[in-house]
Amino acid sequence: MNEAYILAARRGLGESGLGYTKAMTVSVPRRFALAAGALAVAALVACTPTRPVAPQPPPAVAKPLPPPKPRIGLALGGGAAKGFAHIGVIKMLEANGFEPVVVSGTSAGSVVGALYASGMDPFRLQSQAVALDQAEIRDISLFSGGLIKGQKLQDYVNTSVGGKPLERMRKPLAVVATQLETGKRTVFTRGNTGQAVRASSSIPGVFEPVTIGKFTYVDGGVVSPVPVDAARQLGADLVIAVDISTKANGAKPDGLLGIVNQSIAIMGQRLGEQELARADLIIRPRVGDIGPAEFEQRQRAILEGEKAALAALPQLRAKVAQWQQARMAERRQAAKPAPEPECAPNALDRTLRRGARCKGD
């Protein structure tokens, strides 16, 4: 007899009690069965292999954009044989990571500028300058408006640039000349490269004026000794001006070419100062004592250009950093969400018990 019957007998419940106890005897094993089933399910779950959970990658962090690089423009001024100094300036700029992307030139600066913009690196420029024979660019022509015709110069430039017109240069190039009929500055960016350089280099009284289309042109130094504005028009963010012009220092210039060269410099001095003020950096190689026809001084002129450019590097780095900071500030400002409009209820809003209406709603 099980415990349920014994318990019922002791309580004296009789037949009805026995029925109750029978129900109890049935419920006890059922509880054991349910518990056993739960244990079996738990065991199965415990034994079931679980797939490893792949680690979640960390949230992506947007990398800060690198500071933008300014488009550096190089404005090369006129100065006859002093123009070899431009090569030294270009050498040092490129060697220190400041390669100009646009070039403008006046007179001697247009010669160097054209060769450089065509794709010549600074060392090839120097090699070509050292090998240059004056006879290659000087063609005497009497009784024709000048001592030198200028056709040889035109041919020399076109041969050196591979016959490419201005619009096909590797770097955008602007050549500045003076329109003789009106005295206006003319900026050549298309057409015959050698002819534009010849016009820009036609010192009045020394070279024949050059006719292009309906107009006649002479040296660009008359109106723009250092073509800063032309470089800016080509899209330069920062303009480096190289000034090799002759300054009146109380000494009488030697020879006809020296007199004419200094006269042009004096005429364009005020205009030149105004334009130079619009440059971001001015480099002045110490070539004032080199005469306009002293080609034998070319090596010294190149060296002076190098020295002047090296001395200007700290200032150039500061200008570039200042420009980059300004552009980064503009980026941050553009990335900010637009501020929510400030709305204040007016008297009518309060009377009608309605919300404030913002401007533009």
Side-chain angles (χ1 to χ4, degrees):
M1 183 178 296
N2 59 34
E3 294 178 359
Y5 278 99
I6 297 170
L7 181 62
R10 288 180 179 178
R11 292 181 178 177
L13 294 177
E15 291 296 325
S16 60
L18 288 173
Y20 172 76
T21 56
K22 287 179 181 178
M24 290 294 292
T25 59
V26 174
S27 63
V28 170
R30 183 178 298 171
R31 289 179 181 176
F32 280 113
L34 292 174
L39 288 172
V41 171
L44 287 173
V45 172
C47 295
T48 301
T50 58
R51 294 181 180 179
V53 179
Q56 296 295 323
V61 179
K63 293 182 179 180
L65 293 173
K69 288 186 176 182
R71 287 172 55 85
I72 294 178
L74 190 61
L76 304 176
K82 299 178 181 69
F84 290 108
H86 293 316
I87 298 172
V89 171
I90 294 170
K91 281 178 63 179
M92 289 302 103
L93 289 178
E94 285 206 2
N96 288 275
F98 297 105
E99 181 179 349
V101 297
V102 300
V103 185
S104 63
T106 290
S107 196
S110 72
V111 179
V112 176
L115 272 57
Y116 179 53
S118 72
M120 286 190 188
D121 62 61
F123 294 97
R124 187 178 168 194
L125 278 175
Q126 182 168 353
S127 298
Q128 186 137 336
V130 171
L132 177 64
D133 184 352
Q134 292 188 55
E136 295 181 71
I137 59 173
R138 182 175 296 174
D139 43 1
I140 304 299
S141 176
L142 300 176
F143 312 111
S144 59
L147 299 176
I148 301 173
K149 187 175 182 180
Q151 184 64 48
K152 278 193 172 183
L153 174 62
Q154 177 175 326
D155 295 341
Y156 171 81
V157 171
N158 279 333
T159 300
S160 299
V161 303
K164 288 184 288 188
L166 292 166
E167 64 271 20
R168 290 183 54 198
M169 293 289 162
R170 289 192 182 180
K171 299 177 187 290
L173 171 67
V175 175
V176 178
T178 304
Q179 194 179 101
L180 191 58
E181 290 84 355
T182 62
K184 292 182 179 178
R185 182 191 71 145
T186 300
V187 180
F188 292 101
T189 56
R190 299 182 63 85
N192 188 308
T193 301
Q195 189 178 45
V197 170
R198 176 185 174 186
S200 179
S201 305
S202 293
I203 302 171
V206 178
F207 282 79
E208 288 182 7
V210 179
T211 301
I212 302 176
K214 298 180 181 179
F215 298 99
T216 306
Y217 298 92
V218 294
D219 196 293
V222 176
V223 291
S224 183
V226 186
V228 173
D229 294 340
R232 193 81 69 184
Q233 289 167 3
L234 289 176
D237 298 312
L238 297 177
V239 176
I240 301 171
V242 185
D243 181 17
I244 55 171
S245 60
T246 302
K247 302 294 187 294
N249 57 5
K252 181 181 177 180
D254 295 327
L256 175 62
L257 187 55
I259 293 171
V260 172
N261 194 56
Q262 183 152 322
S263 298
I264 292 174
I266 293 171
M267 286 188 294
Q269 189 167 354
R270 181 165 295 181
L271 286 174
E273 289 174 353
Q274 293 173 357
E275 192 167 2
L276 277 172
R278 294 189 284 273
D280 297 284
L281 177 67
I282 304 172
I283 297 177
R284 288 189 169 98
R286 301 180 65 178
V287 291
D289 59 339
I290 296 178
E294 293 181 350
F295 278 53
E296 66 276 8
Q297 295 277 7
R298 68 192 81 184
Q299 289 281 27
R300 182 185 151 221
I302 293 171
L303 180 60
E304 290 296 337
E306 294 177 6
K307 291 161 63 176
L310 282 174
L313 284 177
Q315 188 180 356
L316 177 57
R317 291 191 181 98
K319 290 285 183 180
V320 170
Q322 184 180 2
W323 184 90
Q324 289 177 327
Q325 289 171 3
R327 300 295 82 76
M328 294 296 287
E330 290 174 1
R331 280 184 182 178
R332 289 191 294 269
Q333 186 64 31
K336 287 183 179 179
E340 293 292 332
E342 295 183 3
C343 306
N346 55 30
L348 180 59
D349 293 330
R350 288 192 291 269
T351 301
L352 298 178
R353 295 182 179 180
R354 68 186 183 188
R357 303 185 69 185
C358 302
K359 291 182 180 180
D361 288 352

